[in-house]
Amino acid sequence: MEETQFIWHGGKLIPWKEATVHVMTHALHYGSSVFEGIRVYDTPNGPAYLCLERHLKRFYDSARIYRMTMPFEQDELTRICHQVITANGLKSAYVRPLAFRGYGPITVYGNSDPVEVTVAAFPWGAYLGEDALESGVDVGVSSWTRVAPNTLPTMAKAGGNYLSSQLITMEAHRHGYTEGIGLDASGHLSEGAGENIFVVRDGVLYTPPITAAILPGITRSITIDLAQRLGYEVREESLPRELLYVADEVFMTGTATEIAAIRSVDGLAVGCGKRGPVTEKLQKAFFGLFDGSTEDSQGWLELVES
Ligand code: PMP
């Protein structure tokens, strides 16, 4: 990670190295944090966030699910994001708002601990590597199941959920894969450790529904919209694991990952073993949003205000 100059913490911008917390911070012990990841792209009109307001809404929703009282409203956080990008002189960036229960009495609930909010922003390349965009990456289905319904809420982007993601990724790396895929408690496809998943078969796109223990990804919904605009049918339904083995194409979506091609699953080549034509068309439409070649008809881009 490339350090930048300032992080917003405790109500103001402070130097990156000074943005620290006490070791008795509640979130360190009990996982009580929620966060977001938002990309800023360098567009012909200037630096622009992709779906800032939707990400911030999900952030506030995540906090609400965990009954965290945010110290200010969403509008204020929008202004803080602008401030962090501008102060760091960033044209493109990954923005990371984080809220967590801080330092206070040591109880499991932590409801009397102050909710602290921080916002960092830094340059970040494609999460699964540049190869993921074109050649595709090798992935494996994990032996770790994603959380069962009514255990930990997957609609919340909470720090604790990423313990499941870490187990899935660790196992994937141990087997030489770039990323791991989780199945839900009923054995159906769920998502990657940090990405949503799509399967293409006979020209139709399939992706697991939000009841499959997935984070309802914002890139997932952008991809569904772009695919429909390109004339593809998209089905959100429960999917068997073996669909991965007979797919024409598989790809993953996420803010950090963008749209990554998958070239093999569990050692079986997907389609012809490289990025397929549907994935390529969707990538072109997606990245076209940032150079103006795809019309931003939904107003997904929001300029950074300085
Ligand atoms: N699932 C998980 C577990 C993730 O961490 C992410 C990345 N935030 C996604 C899906 C994709 O979500 P989004 O497109 O909103 O970044």
Side-chain angles (χ1 to χ4, degrees):
M1 180 176 49
E2 199 179 314
E3 291 182 12
T4 50
Q5 232 183 324
F6 301 109
I7 287 185
W8 194 93
H9 186 201
K12 57 180 189 298
L13 289 170
I14 56 172
W16 178 285
K17 287 200 163 38
E18 289 172 22
T20 55
V21 295
H22 195 277
V23 293
M24 294 310 288
T25 292
H26 189 271
L28 285 177
H29 298 251
Y30 299 117
S32 51
S33 68
V34 297
F35 66 100
E36 266 308 318
I38 308 149
R39 270 198 195 270
V40 169
Y41 289 91
D42 189 12
T43 76
N45 298 324
Y49 306 94
L50 181 59
C51 296
L52 175 69
E53 295 311 318
R54 276 165 80 177
H55 278 282
L56 296 188
K57 170 85 171 62
R58 188 170 70 185
F59 186 57
Y60 275 76
D61 286 348
S62 299
R64 182 177 167 79
I65 290 169
Y66 280 101
R67 296 167 194 265
M68 283 184 185
T69 308
M70 296 292 272
F72 44 75
E73 302 290 321
Q74 192 179 318
D75 285 359
E76 180 62 18
L77 188 57
T78 304
R79 280 191 289 277
I80 294 165
C81 290
H82 293 324
Q83 238 185 309
V84 174
I85 308 288
T86 312
N88 286 305
L90 294 163
K91 298 234 174 305
S92 61
Y94 179 86
V95 189
R96 168 54 61 85
L98 169 76
F100 59 92
R101 294 197 196 274
Y103 173 44
I106 186 109
T107 63
V108 169
Y109 182 177
N111 54 330
S112 48
D113 298 336
V115 173
E116 295 190 29
V117 179
T118 74
V119 181
F122 45 90
W124 204 10
Y127 177 63
L128 296 179
E130 291 303 322
D131 270 1
L133 301 180
E134 225 177 298
S135 322
V137 292
D138 304 310
V139 303
V141 175
S142 183
S143 67
W144 290 101
T145 300
R146 299 282 293 164
V147 293
N150 207 27
T151 55
L152 292 174
T154 55
M155 270 182 78
K157 191 169 169 60
N161 288 1
Y162 286 80
L163 290 172
S164 155
S165 297
Q166 285 167 44
L167 291 169
I168 289 172
T169 309
M170 285 170 195
E171 183 182 57
H173 288 194
R174 236 179 24 248
H175 293 151
Y177 302 128
T178 302
E179 187 57 302
I181 297 171
L183 303 179
D184 70 14
S186 64
H188 294 117
L189 278 183
S190 173
E191 62 179 354
E195 311 81 8
N196 292 117
I197 190 159
F198 285 78
V199 174
V200 184
R201 188 167 147 94
D202 297 330
V204 176
L205 275 75
Y206 298 87
T207 194
I210 63 162
T211 46
I214 65 165
L215 177 74
I218 291 166
T219 324
R220 171 184 180 274
S221 85
I222 291 172
T223 305
I224 292 173
D225 191 282
L226 291 173
Q228 287 169 338
R229 264 200 252 170
L230 288 167
Y232 293 107
E233 184 187 344
V234 184
R235 294 197 199 150
E236 290 178 61
E237 55 189 45
S238 248
L239 302 171
R241 165 185 186 158
E242 60 272 24
L243 188 64
L244 295 169
Y245 306 139
V246 295
D248 299 323
E249 298 181 37
V250 179
F251 63 87
M252 285 176 162
T253 63
T255 299
T257 300
E258 300 171 307
I259 299 180
I262 305 301
R263 67 176 180 195
S264 78
V265 181
D266 291 341
L268 279 176
V270 175
C272 51
K274 58 182 174 73
R275 175 177 66 180
V278 179
T279 309
E280 190 175 351
K281 268 191 221 161
L282 286 166
Q283 286 175 333
K284 190 160 176 276
F286 179 78
F287 290 109
L289 287 164
F290 317 125
D291 65 15
S293 57
T294 300
E295 192 199 343
D296 178 23
S297 54
Q298 309 275 356
W300 287 325
L301 293 172
E302 294 160 57
L303 290 177
V304 176
E305 289 171 20
S306 50

